Amino acid sequence: MDVFNKFYSSVSNTVSQLSGVLPGNPVTREFEATQFIASAGPGLLWKVYKGYKKSTKQEASIFVFEKKLLDRWTKADRDVMIEILRRGIVQLTKLRHPQVLTVQHSLEESRESLAFATEPVFASLANILGNTENMPQPIPNNMVNYKLYEVEIKYGLMQIAEGLAFLHNDVKLLHHNISPESIVVNQQGAWKIFGFDFCIANQSSPGAAPFWPFTEYCQALHPLTQPALDYLAPEYILSASHSPASDIYSLGMLIYALHSTGHQSLGNIGNDYMKFKKFANELRNLPQSRLLCVTEGLREYVKLMLNTTPELRPDPHQFLKIPYFEDVGVKTLNYLDSLFQWDNLQKSQFYKGLPQVIQKMPHRTCIYRILPCLSKEFVNPPMVPFVLPNVLLIAENSTKEEYVKYILPVLKPVMLIQDPIQILLIFMQKMELLLKLTPGEEVKSDILPMLYRALESEAQQIQELCLCVLPTFAALIDYPAMKNALLPRIKKLCISTGYISVRVNCLLCLGKLLEHLDKWLVLDEIIPFLPQIPSREPAVLMGILGIYKVALSHKKLGITKEVMATKVLPFLIPLCVENGLTLSQFNALAAPPPPPPPPLLLPRPLL
């Protein structure tokens, strides 16, 4: 009851938080916000809610700015800030690029709020680095002690650089505020450029050299209505100019903050404009020792990015070519993002080598970044045999909760695919893993039907694998399914197969299943069936004999002398003269059976 009350309380709190903000905002007509998860943008003024689109149930994030947050500001500052936020989202909505946050519903305004919807978001980079302003309290569990892995930082920086290349070269746009608050990490772990509140558009005519108008910093205005000084390029004050190289400086400062102790900025300027002026002048003689926290493969390039001469800074394309990004994990993630451009042969080669990479990647990256890319390939049946082993490898390192939430839903449709036959074969080989992680209900609804299909398959290897794994989870199969679905299929296969090995495996499987059956099922279904087997090869006869011995000696079954005399011996005695029997096989057949245990008086089950 306590758990229910806590859940009810949390839902009520979320609803009450939203009720004062979103009613009246048109975004609520199409989107449902369910949970407050993060914050982003200048001063982290945007609250980010987890949610979904009402018509399609598709996941989304709803960004909400509550105007009451500015109640302490002067009216002039409030108006400026709201206009800046509006402008930033309008600009974001116009942009379409994999490294720019995707807007699903454009900005809407009500008396109390601004709101818009985007692709599902995890948090802003500022939140991840420990800035929890305007975030839910207590901090969500998935954000507590959250640490970025090296491969996540490398690939994230690559994505931001690619986004800047798009803005500078294709759109001719300066972002003008690259900082942790303006980078959003989506649900899959991809870093997306956000926060276009201070962006500057090219004002020159087509064909002419780009021109970005310059506006000086105004100390009279509220600091949040202007770019963050910690990430603002020094030429802003040294030469009253800016260019695409200014965004590269900001990216260099972002890299420093990612690596520094406590994720502090290099100048630790805050909102102090005079401190910014002083730091811009000191930057000309920045000692290398100040950058020691930056990883070695990146340190020299960060020093270049922070050079006070903009022309000496690398552009995004040059930055992307540095050895730091020559990393197998980064390359793998990059390949996964561009797989749709490849043909099946190229994809199959890539997937064959992927297991070695998965074993070295952080598990979080495998679950949130690699798995979604792989699952998209499941609509392409010829590729499934190459993709499926990688998904199951990720499952091996997952908790049961992760498996049920992220992996099982994408595996269920694959379990229904019968061609190519290798898919079923892979599932049979990994059946122990599937049974360990899959909840009992899904075992019955999804795993058992797949095993039934395997028994009915034409492929000998799949039939034999299925017969080998079946006894390992016989305890999960209820009585009606065992009697009406499983045993009839095994018996049918045993009689109809043309392979001796399959027939022997059917008998071995039945022998192992006996302990999970009751006396009446064995008497009614198994004992009468054995004489019907149309084969007298020694291996088959030994399999039959093994079933009789288990049935006679098992204390739960306890087959009586009467059954032995009337049903078993009349069948076994003629087999003693089969020519193919070795001496040891004949002795096994002719030896007296073990004495049956006292019969257990069990009621006959009612079906």
Side-chain angles (χ1 to χ4, degrees), residues 524-538:
D524 293 346
E525 299 291 336
I526 306 298
I527 301 298
F529 154 72
L530 296 176
Q532 299 170 18
I533 298 173
S535 178
R536 294 296 179 264
E537 288 82 2

Side-chain angles (χ1 to χ4, degrees), residues 547-572:
I547 291 175
Y548 280 136
K549 284 189 174 180
V550 173
L552 286 164
S553 60
H554 199 288
K555 62 181 180 181
K556 186 174 80 169
L557 302 176
I559 292 174
T560 62
K561 293 178 183 177
E562 290 75 15
V563 173
M564 185 73 179
T566 57
K567 294 185 178 178
V568 179
L569 287 177
F571 169 59
L572 287 180

Side-chain angles (χ1 to χ4, degrees), residues 225-401:
T225 63
Q226 297 171 94
L229 293 176
D230 274 306
Y231 297 88
L232 196 58
E235 58 267 26
Y236 200 82
I237 194 100
L238 298 177
S239 59
S241 65
H242 52 212
S243 66
S246 305
D247 282 343
I248 296 299
Y249 172 90
S250 302
L251 180 59
M253 279 298 190
L254 178 73
I255 294 170
Y256 178 88
L258 282 165
H259 292 89
S260 68
T261 305
H263 304 298
Q264 297 295 314
S265 63
L266 182 60
N268 201 19
I269 295 162
N271 298 324
D272 190 335
Y273 186 67
M274 299 312 294
K275 198 172 181 181
F276 170 64
K277 289 177 73 172
K278 183 183 176 186
F279 178 72
N281 284 294
E282 291 173 351
L283 205 56
R284 300 176 195 271
N285 302 308
L286 182 71
Q288 183 79 2
S289 59
R290 292 287 303 277
L291 301 177
L292 285 177
C293 63
V294 179
T295 189
E296 192 174 347
L298 203 48
R299 198 177 302 145
E300 286 297 323
Y301 299 97
V302 170
K303 187 168 175 57
L304 273 176
M305 295 165 86
L306 301 183
N307 198 297
T308 51
T309 305
E311 292 76 20
L312 295 179
R313 297 173 199 153
D315 65 27
H317 289 298
Q318 292 167 333
F319 177 67
L320 288 167
K321 290 176 182 174
I322 67 175
Y324 174 74
F325 295 115
E326 294 293 314
D327 177 279
V328 67
V330 172
K331 285 184 175 180
T332 299
L333 295 175
N334 207 24
Y335 290 153
L336 284 166
D337 280 341
S338 59
L339 272 179
F340 64 92
Q341 303 170 4
W342 299 11
D343 60 34
N344 281 358
L345 180 60
Q346 291 172 309
K347 288 180 183 179
S348 64
Q349 293 301 317
F350 170 73
Y351 289 134
K352 284 177 184 175
L354 190 55
Q356 287 74 33
V357 181
I358 285 175
Q359 288 168 339
K360 297 175 184 175
M361 292 284 258
H363 180 61
R364 183 171 71 212
T365 305
C366 293
I367 284 282
Y368 295 108
R369 198 83 183 89
I370 297 178
L371 181 65
C373 295
L374 295 179
S375 60
K376 289 176 186 173
E377 201 69 68
F378 283 152
V379 298
N380 185 4
M383 279 294 100
V384 174
F386 299 98
V387 178
L388 186 56
N390 292 292
V391 173
L392 294 174
L393 181 58
I394 294 172
E396 283 182 19
N397 300 315
S398 302
T399 63
K400 195 162 186 175
E401 290 73 22

Side-chain angles (χ1 to χ4, degrees), residues 183-201:
I183 306 297
V184 165
V185 179
N186 76 1
Q187 210 169 60
Q188 294 181 8
W191 293 19
K192 304 288 186 109
I193 298 178
F194 173 64
F196 287 86
D197 312 271
F198 308 107
C199 67
I200 305 170

Side-chain angles (χ1 to χ4, degrees), residues 15 51 82 179 237 345 405 409 436 457 467 481-482 485 491 532:
V15 171
I82 290 171
S179 63
I237 194 100
L345 180 60
K405 185 174 181 180
K436 182 178 79 173
S457 163
L467 291 165
M482 182 71 80
K491 287 158 60 178
Q532 299 170 18

